[in-house]
Amino acid sequence: VSILGGGLTSLTLAKALVNQNIYVEIFTNKKKQTIDKSRTIGITKSNVDYLNDNIVNIEKIIWKLNKIEVFSEKLKKEELLEFENNKQQLFSIVRNYKLYNILDFSLKKNKFFKRNYKKNLIKSIKNFDLVINLEFSNFISKKFFNKKITKKYKSLAYTGVLKHDKINNRVARQIFTKIGPLAFLPISDNETSFVYSINHSNALKRETLTNLVNNHNSIYKINEFKKISSFKLYSINLRSYYHKNILAFGELIHKIHPLAGQGF
């Protein structure tokens, strides 16, 4: 199997396949993948169990949460919903780069795995039984996976990490603000990631964004806003998922609003 793309989903897929003694070669155009340190992923308990049992053990890098609180700014921050399970985690948060590093390390010395930096991609992949494509911009996507349904939300998502005084930090909070949903997602007792999806097409200044987050924060004594990133929100659904022995995969098939989950 060849996999086109070197991101987090590509490595997870590669590890799943080599665990079944399937030869995998990843083709990327970058020798070193840059993983955004402001990004985190929420993973349900059943998917944590699946990853641990079938892909790679992630127990050392996850932060377990046992409660979710949902609020509305329109109702003067009144709590709308609450989910709690004191006996076990509802879901866990993992930092993207930590998951990437643990997968990358586990693949490097695997005899069924090889990494290749593509030069002539057509020639390189012609002898593989199955080609799995996760890239938006290569010639295969442009030629065979260019028919899609796209929805633009005219919104920007901002992600970042708050460094704050130490507390018992096991509760995820989501606030439906007037300009979009804001989620506080703990990653340790003194760090919390946030995702703020704002209904605005133009990027906000860092100071404006930090003021907005501070206005809705009633839990943390914030000492520092670490790296903040932003990206446009849109959804994509391909009209065709495969061509001959080439399969589209991950966010190339469907990219969804973060509120509903993402391709990973």
Side-chain angles (χ1 to χ4, degrees):
V1 175
S2 70
I3 296 175
L4 311 184
L8 193 52
T9 308
S10 300
L11 262 61
T12 308
L13 174 61
K15 188 65 168 68
L17 294 171
V18 300
N19 286 352
Q20 301 298 319
N21 295 344
I22 295 170
Y23 288 95
V24 175
E25 191 164 343
I26 277 186
F27 289 84
T28 66
N29 54 14
K30 294 180 182 176
K31 287 196 173 183
K32 187 164 184 177
Q33 194 79 18
T34 303
I35 304 298
D36 191 338
K37 290 193 174 183
S38 74
R39 300 290 297 275
T40 56
I41 301 170
I43 306 179
T44 62
K45 184 184 182 302
S46 60
N47 277 330
V48 168
D49 293 341
Y50 178 81
L51 282 162
N52 286 339
D53 294 340
N54 300 285
I55 311 288
V56 68
N57 193 295
I58 61 170
E59 282 297 314
K60 289 183 180 179
I61 61 168
I62 60 174
W63 189 252
K64 297 176 182 179
L65 304 178
N66 55 26
K67 189 175 181 182
I68 304 168
E69 297 175 344
V70 183
F71 300 88
S72 170
E73 184 184 13
K74 288 182 181 179
L75 299 174
K76 296 182 180 178
K77 297 185 180 178
E78 180 183 335
E79 189 170 356
L80 299 176
L81 291 168
E82 183 180 290
F83 306 89
E84 186 170 14
N85 189 337
N86 287 319
K87 293 181 181 179
Q88 62 182 24
Q89 78 267 31
L90 289 174
F91 72 109
S92 296
I93 299 290
V94 61
R95 301 183 200 221
N96 289 33
Y97 82 95
K98 285 192 173 183
L99 180 55
Y100 181 91
N101 288 344
I102 211 169
L103 287 163
D104 187 47
F105 181 79
S106 67
L107 284 166
K108 274 180 180 175
K109 295 182 180 179
N110 193 296
K111 66 180 181 180
F112 292 100
F113 178 75
K114 184 179 178 182
R115 188 180 260 109
N116 201 319
Y117 305 106
K118 61 191 180 191
K119 292 180 181 176
N120 186 335
L121 194 55
I122 300 175
K123 189 176 179 181
S124 299
I125 65 173
K126 68 179 183 179
N127 294 323
F128 285 91
D129 300 311
L130 177 64
V131 177
I132 303 179
N133 181 28
L134 295 96
E135 294 186 321
F136 285 88
S137 58
N138 63 34
F139 84 93
I140 290 174
S141 297
K142 290 175 181 176
K143 188 170 183 179
F144 303 120
F145 303 117
N146 60 348
K147 293 181 180 178
K148 51 199 165 201
I149 301 165
T150 303
K151 176 178 172 56
K152 295 180 180 179
Y153 291 100
K154 296 180 181 177
S155 298
L156 286 167
Y158 295 85
T159 60
V161 175
L162 310 173
K163 200 156 181 71
H164 51 76
D165 286 0
K166 190 174 181 180
I167 62 169
N168 183 17
N169 203 18
R170 299 285 177 175
V171 180
R173 294 173 178 86
Q174 176 134 321
I175 305 164
F176 287 93
T177 78
K178 293 172 185 175
I179 59 172
L182 167 63
F184 291 102
L185 304 166
I187 47 179
S188 73
D189 279 337
N190 64 351
E191 285 187 304
T192 298
S193 66
F194 70 87
V195 182
Y196 203 167
S197 303
I198 296 176
N199 301 321
H200 202 282
S201 298
N202 299 318
L204 296 179
K205 291 181 180 178
R206 181 185 174 94
E207 185 180 357
T208 305
L209 179 66
T210 56
N211 285 338
L212 284 168
V213 172
N214 275 319
N215 288 341
H216 295 291
N217 165 47
S218 59
I219 304 297
Y220 307 109
K221 187 178 178 183
I222 299 171
N223 300 315
E224 180 188 356
F225 279 80
K226 300 182 89 169
K227 184 186 175 186
I228 295 173
S229 301
S230 67
F231 52 95
K232 291 181 180 178
L233 290 178
Y234 58 95
S235 64
I236 292 174
N237 284 278
L238 283 188
R239 291 186 179 273
S240 175
Y241 288 6
Y242 65 93
H243 173 79
K244 295 184 177 178
N245 70 326
I246 304 171
L247 175 70
F249 201 80
E251 288 195 343
L252 180 61
I253 292 182
H254 63 105
K255 188 178 181 75
I256 329 174
H257 192 298
L259 201 60
Q262 292 169 300
F264 178 81

